[in-house]
Amino acid sequence: MNENTKLLLFTGSYANAAESGVQVFEFNGEAGGTLVLLDKVEGITNPTFVNVDPEKLRLYAIGEIPNGDGGKQGEVVTFAIDPKEGMLTELKRIKTMPSEGKGQTTTCHIAREPEGGHLVVCSYHGGSIGLISLDEDGQPLKLIDTAQHTGHGAHPERQDRPHPHSAVFSPDGRYLFVSDLGLDIIRSYRIDRETGTLAAHGETSLHPGAGPRHFVFHPDGKSAYVINEVDSTITSFTYDEAAGTLQTIATVPTLPADYQDKEENTCSEIALSADGLYLYGANRGHDSIVVYAVNPQTAELTLVEHVSTRGGHPRHFTVTPDGGYLIVANRDANNLVVFSLDQASGKLTFTGNTAEASKPVCIKPAVFAR
């Protein structure tokens, strides 16, 4: 960051409507990684994931609402961002992923198309993803298509049905990659502009019992990586941009070899350093960040270290855009923890800076002009 810009962090959490489920912090790297709470928003049930558009000054938060028949369904709440004060103003709410009867189609993830024309939400419990249109002002219009996944995976409890957990657009925005934890696949789609629908493009299978959760592309667009929640591994791929296809390269563990409680651990977030030379993954149970060195040419990974997150159940984390810090959201410790990131070695060091945040699930950064 420089004197003309500021970095804001937007968090989502588990919360009831009376609690502050969405919060805004200002992050100061020049001061050693401090966090100052600027705003907090009530009135949304479980706004667990957010997406920020710094150009249109929009924040999108998922939420859940009753369907009137004993079930639950999703909603998207849109806010205007005042970057000067770090304040949010609610603009609009729309329903997403409708459910029938006692069904549950609440969402766990929200992504925004690079061109800005659509949002995509994932329903973990409903086994489906939804395509939402946006107007020119960045406000959601309506749910225009749904893609339903079917089948099951190898794990009898965790993979008894589909569980789409995240949707990530390719760097050029042509394809959408959906990690389905329940099916051990990454299914790709493209948006048909003429019909406003999700068109299936391809599918990449993971090893049985993997449970792919979150997915990230390398900054050079030539490789990609997924963290597997169920068996605590990371799988790397090379990416053919022209064909929109993945080629599996290797799978590595997220846990130390001598860790005894492997069955009790599950993984959450994955991210790359700003230069793409290091990969980070979060362990819930071991409560650590695993660090791997990346070979960008081959997508092969070499272990660097494991670092304690200094709190229970690291649900999410982010690397600051300048690459200098990594900030962890510890759900069970109710806090955000700041680590400095050595860009030469990829290693993490606790800065001593933390901030209180009730049951944080997601943390998203964005840079704004002062």
Side-chain angles (χ1 to χ4, degrees), residues 26-91:
E26 182 170 1
F27 181 82
N28 189 335
E30 297 299 320
T34 59
L35 289 164
V36 176
L37 179 64
L38 300 181
D39 195 15
K40 52 187 179 180
V41 177
E42 302 171 354
I44 312 173
T45 300
N46 290 334
T48 52
F49 218 83
V50 299
N51 182 278
V52 58
D53 184 343
E55 294 184 4
K56 287 189 168 67
L57 303 179
R58 296 287 180 259
L59 181 74
Y60 307 100
I62 61 172
E64 65 180 54
I65 54 177
N67 67 357
D69 295 319
K72 297 177 182 178
Q73 58 190 10
E75 70 171 347
V76 171
V77 184
T78 305
F79 298 91
I81 302 169
D82 176 352
K84 301 293 184 183
E85 302 296 329
M87 304 294 287
L88 299 174
T89 302
E90 184 175 327
L91 297 175

Side-chain angles (χ1 to χ4, degrees), residues 14 49 108-109 124 158 163-168 178-181 210-215 226-230 266-270 284 313-316 361:
Y14 284 117
F49 218 83
C108 63
H109 187 273
Y124 179 90
R158 298 297 311 283
H163 290 307
H165 216 308
S166 64
V168 176
V178 178
S179 299
D180 194 313
L181 181 149
R213 177 186 171 100
H214 283 186
F215 179 82
V226 69
I227 194 161
N228 300 310
E229 176 177 330
V230 177
T266 59
C267 292
S268 56
E269 177 63 340
I270 186 170
R284 301 174 293 179
H313 201 95
R315 184 82 182 199
H316 202 258
V361 176

Side-chain angles (χ1 to χ4, degrees), residues 210-223:
R213 177 186 171 100
H214 283 186
F215 179 82
V216 63
F217 278 96
H218 193 275
D220 68 10
K222 297 179 181 179
S223 61

Side-chain angles (χ1 to χ4, degrees), residues 55-281:
E55 294 184 4
K56 287 189 168 67
L57 303 179
R58 296 287 180 259
L59 181 74
Y60 307 100
I62 61 172
E64 65 180 54
I65 54 177
N67 67 357
D69 295 319
K72 297 177 182 178
Q73 58 190 10
E75 70 171 347
V76 171
V77 184
T78 305
F79 298 91
I81 302 169
D82 176 352
K84 301 293 184 183
E85 302 296 329
M87 304 294 287
L88 299 174
T89 302
E90 184 175 327
L91 297 175
K92 186 177 185 180
R93 296 186 182 215
I94 67 165
K95 298 177 182 179
T96 62
M97 311 303 287
S99 63
E100 297 180 357
K102 298 187 182 301
Q104 184 167 324
T105 56
T106 53
T107 53
C108 63
H109 187 273
I110 184 168
R112 180 173 48 84
E113 185 184 14
E115 293 181 359
H118 300 89
L119 298 174
V120 176
V121 292
C122 295
S123 177
Y124 179 90
H125 294 291
S128 56
I129 63 172
L131 181 66
I132 300 165
S133 58
L134 295 173
D135 66 17
E136 293 183 357
D137 196 37
Q139 295 203 49
L141 294 172
K142 62 180 179 179
L143 180 73
I144 58 175
D145 194 29
T146 301
Q148 181 68 49
H149 290 191
T150 59
H152 63 85
H155 195 288
E157 298 174 0
R158 298 297 311 283
Q159 298 180 307
D160 62 327
R161 52 201 167 102
H163 290 307
H165 216 308
S166 64
V168 176
F169 283 94
S170 59
D172 62 8
R174 294 171 60 205
Y175 302 104
L176 177 73
F177 290 82
V178 178
S179 299
D180 194 313
L181 181 149
L183 303 183
D184 287 328
I185 62 171
I186 300 172
R187 183 166 291 166
S188 60
Y189 295 87
R190 58 182 178 80
I191 299 175
D192 188 314
R193 306 291 169 180
E194 293 184 1
T195 61
T197 59
L198 290 163
H201 175 70
E203 193 169 288
T204 304
S205 296
L206 278 294
H207 55 278
R213 177 186 171 100
H214 283 186
F215 179 82
V216 63
F217 278 96
H218 193 275
D220 68 10
K222 297 179 181 179
S223 61
Y225 308 82
V226 69
I227 194 161
N228 300 310
E229 176 177 330
V230 177
D231 75 348
S232 300
T233 60
I234 291 171
T235 300
S236 61
F237 311 88
T238 53
Y239 179 60
D240 185 329
E241 181 180 24
T245 56
L246 300 168
Q247 177 66 46
T248 304
I249 297 301
T251 297
V252 297
T254 64
L255 293 167
D258 60 354
Y259 184 62
Q260 298 299 310
D261 297 319
K262 289 182 172 63
E263 296 301 318
E264 303 302 317
N265 188 78
T266 59
C267 292
S268 56
E269 177 63 340
I270 186 170
L272 285 150
S273 59
D275 58 13
L277 295 180
Y278 297 96
L279 183 71
Y280 302 87

